[in-house]
């Protein structure tokens, strides 16, 4: 048996989670966010599984081109737009929707000579202060885009929420109000919500929702599990035991001797480490599943290996199954134990991990 680490992608979970988006936001169209290799799930297989979405959003031109190269014909939105005439030409060639959030990008459209106008999304900064036009820029920019022949009218009006994962956040209310005020009377569709906005904020659903995380079956909220939100994890990161050994009480284990056995202990070494995207700073005691049972990580995570205390489990053998996250050990829980967020873990599954799409 080859000890191999793989990320098993459950396409039925992806479809289930999309159906859940539809249930939560029945009046909205769904722009499924599949940037960053679909948060580590594989952008093409994810897009194929989510073919029922109304469109796909990616961050970068190359990500959209990979989807077109695979034959996907749905609408694809470039969330950060394009930079320079070459990229705009590519966007035209591949029929991408473009986001406009910078004056440079307005100018680019104004100087574009092509036969087909772009479906254009205009990003308005309502308080996140990352991308988008500031309130005082909105009216003049919209007027220019309205007058621009390269822009298909009406424009789609967009903002992004900084704190939607706090369901009671005053800043989110202020952002929603600012968006309402800045776009009052304008024609065109609206798009506000990411996953947290979709699940937590009625007023954010608008014409288009832009869920990412929830499609992968991960909760955007600290106070609600994915299961409580009706979501199913789409990724299971699994590997195998490559060694089993006994140590005496008092012996230290791994780099730095970071863990010392308090009793005679049986340890399983599993083929997963930070070289695979299992975070190095995951705290000792974090659960992994060995043959479906929870057991604690001990000592430091190395590049290719972790050590698990299986003293309290039924006998474990080389080749036995180890689940690092997925059903039974939510990625949210591992992320918390590593001092990070689930987004970073699922996006960070490395090249050498085989994606096993089912
Ligand atoms: C990444 C992204 C999303 C999706 O966010 P999730 O929190 O993963 O749902 C939505 N909108 C924009 C602009 C994004 O960059």
């Amino acid at each position: 048996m080859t000890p191999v680490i793989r990320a098993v992608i459950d396409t039925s979970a992806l479809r289930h989670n999309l159906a859940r988006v539809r249930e939560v936001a029945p009046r909205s169209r769904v722009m499924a966010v599949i940037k960053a290799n679909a948060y580590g799930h594989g952008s093409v297989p994810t897009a194929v599984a989510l073919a029922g979405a109304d469109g796909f959003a990616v961050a970068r031109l190359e990500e959209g081109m990979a989807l077109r190269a695979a034959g996907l014909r749905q609408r694809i939105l470039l969330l950060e737009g394009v930079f320079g005439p070459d990229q705009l030409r590519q966007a035209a060639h591949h029929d991408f929707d473009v986001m406009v959030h910078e004056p440079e990008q307005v100018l680019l459209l104004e100087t574009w000579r092509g036969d087909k106008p772009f479906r254009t999304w205009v990003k308005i900064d309502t308080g996140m202060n990352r991308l988008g036009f500031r309130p005082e820029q909105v009216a003049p920019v919209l007027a220019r885009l309205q007058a621009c022949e390269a822009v298909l009218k009406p424009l789609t009006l967009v903002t992004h929420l900084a704190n939607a994962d706090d369901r009671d956040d005053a800043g989110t209310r202020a952002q929603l109000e600012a968006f309402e005020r800045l776009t009052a009377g304008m024609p065109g569709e609206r798009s506000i919500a990411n996953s947290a906005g979709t699940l937590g904020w009625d007023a954010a659903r608008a014409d288009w929702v832009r869920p990412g995380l929830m499609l992968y079956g991960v909760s955007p909220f600290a106070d609600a599990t994915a299961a409580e939100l009706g979501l199913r994890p789409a990724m299971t990161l699994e590997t195998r035991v490559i060694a089993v050994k006994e140590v005496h009480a008092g012996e230290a284990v791994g780099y730095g001797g970071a863990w010392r056995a308090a009793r005679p202990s049986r340890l399983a070494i599993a083929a997963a480490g930070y070289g695979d995207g299992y975070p190095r700073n995951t705290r000792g005691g974090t659960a992994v599943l060995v043959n479906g049972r929870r057991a604690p990580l001990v000592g430091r995570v190395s590049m290719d290996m972790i050590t698990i205390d299986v003293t309290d489990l039924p006998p474990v053998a080389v080749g036995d199954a180890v689940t690092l996250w997925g059903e039974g050990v939510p990625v949210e829980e591992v992320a918390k134990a590593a001092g990070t967020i689930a987004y970073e873990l699922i996006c960070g599954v490395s090249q050498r991990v085989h994606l096993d799409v089912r």
Side-chain angles (χ1 to χ4, degrees):
M1 189 180 313
T2 27
V4 61
I5 182 164
R6 57 192 176 166
V8 178
I9 307 302
D10 177 355
T11 52
S12 76
L14 291 170
R15 283 191 299 273
H16 166 89
N17 297 329
L18 175 59
R20 185 77 189 113
V21 175
R22 298 268 187 216
E23 219 168 74
V24 172
R27 282 174 296 280
S28 309
R29 284 198 279 168
V30 179
M31 186 56 82
V33 180
I34 58 171
K35 61 193 176 186
N37 199 28
Y39 294 40
H41 294 63
S43 64
V44 171
T46 299
V48 170
L50 297 178
D54 301 294
F56 298 116
V58 295
R60 315 253 165 91
L61 182 70
E62 293 73 14
E63 297 178 324
M65 287 167 63
L67 294 173
R68 286 285 184 253
L72 287 146
R73 304 261 53 98
Q74 285 94 339
R75 283 177 71 171
I76 295 175
L77 167 64
L78 305 179
L79 287 167
E80 295 168 10
V82 293
F83 299 90
D86 289 346
Q87 290 200 356
L88 192 59
R89 201 168 303 119
Q90 288 287 355
H93 179 69
H94 293 291
D95 193 29
F96 294 147
D97 289 30
V98 294
M99 187 77 80
V100 174
H101 59 82
E102 267 288 304
E104 285 278 315
Q105 296 173 322
V106 180
L107 201 59
L108 208 53
L109 286 167
E110 285 172 337
T111 50
W112 173 253
R113 295 291 166 260
D115 41 13
K116 195 162 165 257
F118 290 93
R119 287 182 300 272
T120 306
W121 302 53
V122 187
K123 193 150 195 189
I124 299 173
D125 181 4
T126 52
M128 181 156 178
N129 297 320
R130 194 180 57 178
L131 294 188
F133 297 102
R134 294 184 58 82
E136 61 277 14
Q137 296 175 292
V138 170
V141 161
L142 290 180
R144 275 174 69 186
L145 290 170
Q146 294 292 355
C148 177
E149 278 183 23
V151 171
L152 187 70
K153 266 69 81 174
L155 301 155
T156 301
L157 305 166
V158 184
T159 195
H160 192 54
L161 301 173
N163 268 316
D165 56 336
D166 174 355
R167 281 184 267 204
D168 204 32
D169 179 55
T172 301
R173 269 192 292 278
Q175 282 198 268
L176 292 169
E177 281 161 24
F179 188 65
E180 183 74 41
R181 188 176 67 249
L182 291 164
T183 60
M186 295 287 306
E189 296 178 320
R190 308 315 199 239
S191 178
I192 306 170
N194 58 1
S195 297
T198 302
L199 288 163
W201 294 83
D202 272 340
R205 286 174 201 135
D207 300 298
W208 286 90
V209 289
R210 305 186 310 273
L213 194 69
M214 72 180 288
L215 291 173
Y216 308 103
V218 179
S219 170
F221 302 118
D223 63 358
T225 64
E228 285 164 357
L229 298 168
L231 302 172
R232 282 171 46 196
M235 180 192 288
T236 303
L237 186 62
E238 51 182 49
T239 186
R240 299 203 173 270
V241 172
I242 58 167
V244 180
K245 69 173 44 181
E246 313 273 344
V247 295
H248 302 301
E251 287 189 297
V253 171
Y255 286 120
W259 181 80
R260 200 172 282 280
R263 56 177 177 170
S265 302
R266 192 154 18 94
L267 305 177
I269 317 301
Y274 60 81
D276 302 296
Y278 191 83
R280 181 177 176 281
N281 49 358
T282 309
R283 271 203 307 272
T286 303
V288 302
L289 301 183
V290 181
N291 296 325
R293 294 166 191 264
R294 289 167 78 95
L297 190 72
V298 296
R300 292 220 179 116
V301 172
S302 338
M303 188 183 293
D304 315 305
M305 283 170 264
I306 54 172
T307 306
I308 307 157
D309 182 356
V310 294
T311 313
D312 298 327
L313 261 51
V316 169
V318 169
D320 282 358
V322 174
T323 302
L324 303 156
W325 61 67
E327 201 70 59
V329 44
V331 67
E332 294 92 323
E333 183 183 321
V334 182
K336 198 165 174 215
T340 183
I341 54 175
Y343 292 83
E344 191 178 11
L345 266 51
I346 56 181
C347 284
V349 167
S350 80
Q351 285 279 316
R352 76 173 175 185
V353 176
H354 175 67
L355 276 188
D356 182 353
V357 181
R358 295 183 184 169

